Amino acid sequence: QVYLVESGGGLVQAGGSLRLACAASGLTFGSYAMGWFRQAPGKDRDFVATISGSGSSIYYGDSVEGRFTISRSNAKNTVYLQMNSLTPEDTAVYYCAARALLHSRSPSDYNFWGQGTQVTVSS
């Protein structure tokens, strides 16, 4: 059974930072690309960032490029999302997801999902 457990969400003021973590179990972590997505109330689930299994290839969504950094530790079976310069528009539930082999910007390509962690940015 595959489990992805996100942590690190919370309430932060605009301009602040948060670091999300997603701990994975039940899979060969280094063989899976990992992605972060977010979903605000009434909106679709949007792509945030993705990282290949080795960590050598990374893509970001346009709205977070230059502010967010995705990274992973295959030794710890964990993927991270460092979020800086947060704005109220970043408020959403943030989900991590795993996809065998190739990374992707499309939520429908991912096989496994975490339960999500709420990030709220106050103005």
Side-chain angles (χ1 to χ4, degrees):
Q1 187 80 357
V2 175
Y3 292 98
L4 302 177
V5 180
E6 301 98 335
S7 61
L11 174 64
V12 64
Q13 288 188 332
S17 298
L18 281 175
R19 189 192 195 205
L20 305 183
C22 172
S25 60
L27 73 171
T28 305
F29 188 68
S31 297
Y32 281 77
M34 299 298 295
W36 284 99
F37 296 83
R38 66 187 182 185
Q39 189 165 20
K43 296 188 176 182
D44 293 336
R45 190 165 296 190
D46 289 336
F47 168 71
V48 175
T50 184
I51 186 168
S52 63
S54 67
S56 61
S57 180
I58 289 172
Y59 295 105
Y60 294 99
D62 291 342
S63 62
V64 307
E65 180 88 51
R67 299 187 299 123
F68 291 11
T69 302
I70 189 171
S71 61
R72 66 189 294 159
S73 168
N74 287 352
K76 296 182 179 180
N77 284 10
T78 302
V79 62
Y80 305 96
L81 185 69
Q82 177 67 42
M83 306 186 294
N84 298 330
S85 302
L86 286 161
T87 74
E89 288 69 36
D90 295 315
T91 295
V93 177
Y94 283 71
Y95 299 90
C96 74
R99 179 176 193 247
L101 300 178
L102 299 177
H103 50 354
S104 169
R105 299 170 184 258
S106 174
S108 62
D109 288 339
Y110 285 77
N111 307 105
F112 305 106
W113 290 85
Q115 81 289 349
T117 186
Q118 177 71 47
V119 172
T120 302
V121 185
S122 63
S123 57

